[in-house]
Amino acid sequence: MFVLAFLGKRVVAAAGTLLVTSFLVFSLLAASPGSPEQTLLGTRQPTPELIAAIRARHHLDEPFLSRYWHWLSGVLELDFGRSVRSGRAVGDLLAERLDVTIWLGLYAFVLVLLVAVPAGLFAGIRRDTAWDRGVTVTALLGVSAPPFAVGLMLLSVFGVGLGWFPVFGAGSGFADRISHLTLPAVALAIAGVAIVARQTRAATLDVTAQDFITFAEARGLPRPVVLGRYALRNSALPVITSAGLVLAYSLTGAVLVEATFALPGVGSLLVESVSTKDIPVVQGLALLTAALVIGVNLLVDLCYLGLDPRVRHAGGV
């Protein structure tokens, strides 16, 4: 019962946040310079018939809240309007570009987990050793490095210089796509590895200083059992929080990386749409980004529920 109530509260909060975000996103059109008709007209030649059609399609003769309701009703049916630049449905453009971005984001996230969690865990266990200092310094450098600068360096060394990986495009098929997205994923994952490694190290230092770790070792339990069953699990909550933030960033913050590697993803679509003032596409992208971030936060809450018995016991589960 508590689980359903917990999920219900989180879903309601997520829906409320998304509703507020949708209102702010729609306000982009009203806040953009010039008249809404001129913004939606784009580079097309203005004619009385075209202007009248735009006003009718977007209900520009109606009050602002009424226009927002019409737009929101369409969004609930996955109708985000049409692109000013191409005339295509915004939903179709997002669906085409989202595939590459999800591949890139998940690939980068997997790299973060595979590298950062073991590195941070062993750094916390072996405090003040050469490994610990190396992880700390490397994490500091990683979090300070701009992804586009890392991407350019990877392109120069491993793409152009050594020729190990393709330098542009997303590829087709599983193996070809992995090959094409390896350098972009590494560039995107560098900062995430630094953040999660530092958080894992801090959480491990805190957990290994607790009495239950000392008691587990005193019972003669094998070191891997103590680290896996007790240390890693009890340090998982702050790690999951930071990993959730990294996942949200990987899925929504790949604009510069996609531009660097000429990837046809959501990030490059955002750059194109902003530069051409394609407001309907920008609105759709902003709402999609918000939905992804809110979805990741909801997933983190579910992980809390599964990993921390105190959350379940607090509700009597």
Side-chain angles (χ1 to χ4, degrees):
M1 193 65 181
F2 170 72
V3 175
L4 294 178
F6 180 86
L7 291 178
K9 290 180 181 178
R10 293 300 187 271
V11 170
V12 170
T17 304
L18 195 57
L19 181 63
V20 173
T21 304
S22 71
F23 180 80
L24 297 176
V25 165
F26 180 78
S27 301
L28 284 173
L29 179 60
S32 59
S35 64
E37 295 91 338
Q38 185 60 45
T39 300
L40 295 169
L41 190 63
T43 58
R44 291 174 290 181
Q45 184 67 28
T47 63
E49 294 79 9
L50 183 56
I51 293 177
I54 289 176
R55 293 186 65 84
R57 178 186 303 168
H58 296 277
H59 307 278
L60 295 179
D61 293 324
E62 301 179 17
F64 175 79
L65 291 179
S66 178
R67 299 202 308 269
Y68 168 68
W69 173 250
H70 284 295
W71 179 78
L72 182 62
S73 300
V75 168
L76 294 176
E77 299 175 356
L78 300 181
D79 180 10
F80 298 91
R82 291 192 168 273
S83 166
V84 171
R85 183 164 52 97
S86 65
R88 297 182 58 194
V90 173
D92 294 341
L93 292 174
L94 297 181
E96 287 180 2
R97 300 295 190 97
L98 190 60
D99 176 60
V100 173
T101 298
I102 288 180
W103 269 87
L104 175 60
L106 292 180
Y107 190 1
F109 183 65
V110 169
L111 293 178
V112 169
L113 294 183
L114 292 177
V115 176
V117 174
L121 180 63
F122 286 113
I125 295 170
R126 301 173 181 176
R127 183 176 183 177
D128 295 329
T129 63
W131 176 267
D132 181 26
R133 290 190 289 271
V135 169
T136 302
V137 172
T138 304
L140 181 61
L141 293 175
V143 79
S144 305
F148 70 90
V150 175
L152 290 175
M153 182 187 69
L154 294 175
L155 272 175
S156 300
V157 176
F158 298 101
V160 178
L162 299 175
W164 290 357
F165 297 97
V167 296
F168 65 90
S172 59
F174 181 80
D176 190 39
R177 175 151 293 188
I178 291 296
S179 176
H180 278 77
L181 294 183
T182 294
L183 293 183
V186 171
L188 187 60
I190 291 294
V193 168
I195 293 171
V196 176
R198 288 174 65 89
Q199 187 63 61
T200 304
R201 175 186 179 275
T204 303
L205 287 174
D206 180 64
V207 169
T208 52
Q210 302 297 320
D211 291 338
F212 64 86
I213 295 292
T214 304
F215 293 152
E217 292 176 338
R219 288 165 55 195
L221 294 177
R223 186 70 169 172
V225 174
V226 174
L227 296 179
R229 182 180 300 176
Y230 295 97
L232 183 59
R233 181 166 184 175
N234 284 276
S235 61
L237 292 184
V239 175
I240 286 176
T241 301
S242 59
L245 295 175
V246 169
L247 176 58
Y249 168 75
S250 298
L251 293 174
T252 61
V255 176
L256 296 178
V257 172
E258 290 184 3
T260 301
F261 290 89
L263 295 175
V266 169
S268 57
L269 178 62
L270 177 62
V271 173
E272 297 167 5
S273 301
V274 170
S275 62
T276 57
K277 297 182 180 180
D278 197 342
I279 295 296
V281 177
V282 175
Q283 288 176 325
L285 286 169
L287 195 59
L288 175 64
T289 299
L292 288 173
V293 172
I294 292 171
V296 170
N297 287 332
L298 184 59
L299 181 61
V300 169
D301 288 337
L302 293 178
C303 291
Y304 279 177
L305 190 63
L307 288 173
D308 193 347
R310 293 170 297 183
V311 176
R312 299 193 299 272
H313 292 163
V317 178

